[in-house]
Amino acid sequence: MKKITCLLSAVALMVTQGVAYGQTGLLFSQSDLTPTDLARMSFTGTQFGTARSMGMGGAFTSLGADLTTMSLNPAGLGMYQSSELGFTPMVSITKTNNTDPLGITNGSNGKTRFSPANIGTAINFYQGSGGLTSFTFGVAYNKVADFNIISSMQHGSNRTSVADLFMQQLAGTSHSSMKSATFRNTTIDRWGALMAYNTYLIDPGATDGVYGSNVLSDDAVIYQGTVLNTRGSIGEYNFAAGFNFQNKLYLGFSVGVQDLQFKQTVSYSETYENNSGANDPAVGMFYGQSYKITGTGVNLKVGLTYRPVEELRIGVAVHTPTYMNTTHSYNAGMTVYFPDGNNWDDTPYDRFDYDFSTPTRFLGGISYTFGSTGILAVDYERTWYNSMRLNNDDSDYRWGFNDEVKYLFKGNNTVRAGAEIRPFGPDVALRVGFTYTDSMVDIDLAREAYDSPVPKQNIGASGGIGFRLGRMSYLDLAYSYNHTKYTDYYVYHYVTSDNKVWDSGNPTQKTDRHSVVATLGFRF
């Protein structure tokens, strides 16, 4: 395994803890693995599944006989009295609103995506009257996370340029060193600064290794813009079994295999006005970065549901961490624009592998059935984000990284509630749901700026309708809305040893996700 440099992760911790020097921010976290990467790939605040479960807010820990239960509490498989096949396509529209570092709210950015939310089958292999009343085996795909978000900011600033930070990164480095292949191949954390040097965004100001910018005058007005575009998802393939003992106790387990696809591009630009005082005035610059994480992981879910009386169900489930094996790839490019032409440079293609584990999850739920006319269900989930772990071969790096994870994150809580009524008889069902997820970061740390936006609160509401199409088929429709708030983050931030600061300010981000799903199912 390639040894991962820990500079950016360590500096992110130094800044949050108030240490007086270091670099962090969105522009300097793409080339390395950071704790915020693990948080993004572990966040489960948005519940996907069948239209019935989404319409009821995902409150299905104690309910069963639904294909979503394989991803929540596999004991619910034991409640099947027949076999089932279902498919749930989904259309999601994501709107992102940003407030830039000057407090100006930018316009919404939207992204629409069509994808499967759930597809699966439950096979009822045994139905009897003994101690073991029934046994059901299930296979299902369920979407776990959706990363398709685009956000952008444009704001004016006469304070700093990212060129100032690049200068500090190269201070004291000789020309011969920067032009050597060794420097480029061993200093990935300074690839941006090296491109700035090669494109003449920064240039030596003296022979003693102190660098000065020759493209910006002191009174230049700098307009900065950032576009953050993420794509991908996590899909989980579950292989589950559920057992029914006398219609009182239901036990189940599920082996989940996850497929991770995450790609993020960061496009940063600066436009310069009133720059005539510079020696060789630049018009602007563009810095584009792209990184991709792909991986495969496995987890185990075990659960039980107890039915003390016919109407009441109490369910609990534990999800082990998902143990992921991943590949991280990165490349970047930079262009600096001058009146008489452009200068361009790019980086080599970097790739490294690592293993990590997601948090442990505990789910509890209770539901009550009002005859054939209605259901009320409430779930509680605890997710220990401070238990995320990097399982790297380099023990020194792993220990420091995992200590930072424990400092930055904590366990969080999710409450889900749902109701279903059948006011017109057994063939039509109306559903509503609500979800709330609190912060995975401590309250005090939530006020700090991270190197990229981290979810800190999610509120969701949903509704749906179901139709029974004869004895052996059904159609369910649902609409789900989720509003997610994120921590503030830096585009770039640098503090020198003498406490001089170059800082982009702290953008904020909020995301609204609208999802429409339909489930067509067949029982046999």
Side-chain angles (χ1 to χ4, degrees), residues 28 56 74 113 125 154 196 239 305 307 321 369 422 442 449:
F28 298 92
M56 295 179 65
R113 179 174 172 80
F125 279 105
Q154 292 185 351
F239 305 88
T305 299
R307 204 170 190 171
T369 302
R422 298 179 180 270
D442 289 325

Side-chain angles (χ1 to χ4, degrees), residues 75-365:
L77 277 178
M79 297 181 190
Y80 273 102
Q81 298 179 0
S82 62
S83 300
E84 181 175 333
L85 173 67
F87 173 62
T88 305
M90 177 174 67
V91 176
S92 291
I93 302 172
T94 305
K95 298 286 187 179
T96 303
N97 291 284
N98 301 276
T99 301
D100 69 26
L102 299 182
I104 301 172
T105 299
N106 288 250
S108 296
N109 300 110
K111 180 175 284 191
T112 302
R113 179 174 172 80
F114 175 84
S115 63
N118 176 276
I119 182 172
T121 185
I123 307 297
N124 185 241
F125 279 105
Y126 172 76
Q127 195 77 28
S129 58
L132 176 62
T133 306
S134 67
F135 166 69
T136 303
F137 177 77
V139 178
Y141 166 87
N142 200 71
K143 177 170 286 192
V144 177
D146 192 305
F147 302 126
N148 291 277
I149 297 175
I150 184 170
S151 61
S152 63
M153 294 167 295
Q154 292 185 351
H155 57 92
S157 171
N158 56 10
R159 299 174 301 169
T160 66
S161 165
V162 71
D164 299 316
L165 196 157
F166 289 145
M167 286 190 295
Q168 292 296 321
Q169 284 188 298
L170 293 180
T173 306
S174 67
H175 291 279
S176 58
S177 295
M178 287 186 292
K179 293 178 180 179
S180 69
T182 301
F183 183 86
R184 178 174 286 242
N185 293 334
T186 60
T187 57
I188 187 172
D189 60 294
R190 286 182 280 175
W191 277 359
L194 183 59
M195 287 190 293
Y197 171 79
N198 290 335
T199 56
Y200 296 95
L201 179 65
I202 60 175
D203 203 53
T207 59
D208 60 2
V210 178
Y211 287 80
S213 171
N214 74 335
V215 299
L216 294 177
S217 60
D218 291 339
D219 56 352
V221 176
I222 306 165
Y223 292 92
Q224 300 167 327
T226 306
V227 178
L228 178 62
N229 190 353
T230 63
R231 299 181 294 279
S233 63
I234 299 177
E236 184 174 73
Y237 301 87
N238 282 285
F239 305 88
F243 305 84
N244 175 3
F245 298 93
Q246 294 290 298
N247 295 318
K248 284 284 188 180
L249 179 65
Y250 305 86
L251 302 177
F253 69 88
S254 174
V255 176
V257 178
Q258 291 190 358
D259 174 47
L260 166 66
Q261 300 289 331
F262 179 90
K263 185 175 183 181
Q264 179 164 279
T265 58
V266 177
S267 303
Y268 175 81
S269 62
E270 293 185 349
T271 302
Y272 310 129
E273 293 184 0
N274 196 33
N275 194 30
S276 58
N279 295 330
D280 186 12
V283 177
M285 61 87 68
F286 174 82
Y287 182 21
Q289 300 180 79
S290 175
Y291 86 94
K292 183 178 181 181
I293 301 175
T294 58
T296 303
V298 62
N299 61 52
L300 176 66
K301 305 175 187 68
V302 295
L304 67 86
T305 299
Y306 180 60
R307 204 170 190 171
V309 294
E310 179 70 19
E311 298 83 5
L312 181 65
R313 304 177 193 183
I314 303 170
V316 294
V318 175
H319 298 185
T320 70
T322 300
Y323 297 92
M324 300 286 300
N325 177 263
T326 59
T327 297
H328 184 129
S329 56
Y330 170 82
N331 68 292
M334 184 178 295
T335 302
V336 179
Y337 305 97
F338 294 91
D340 56 353
N342 305 329
N343 296 332
W344 175 83
D345 191 25
D346 64 353
T347 70
Y349 180 81
D350 187 66
R351 173 176 170 168
F352 55 87
D353 300 321
Y354 58 89
D355 302 328
F356 77 92
S357 53
T358 66
T360 301
R361 300 172 62 191
F362 168 81
L363 295 84

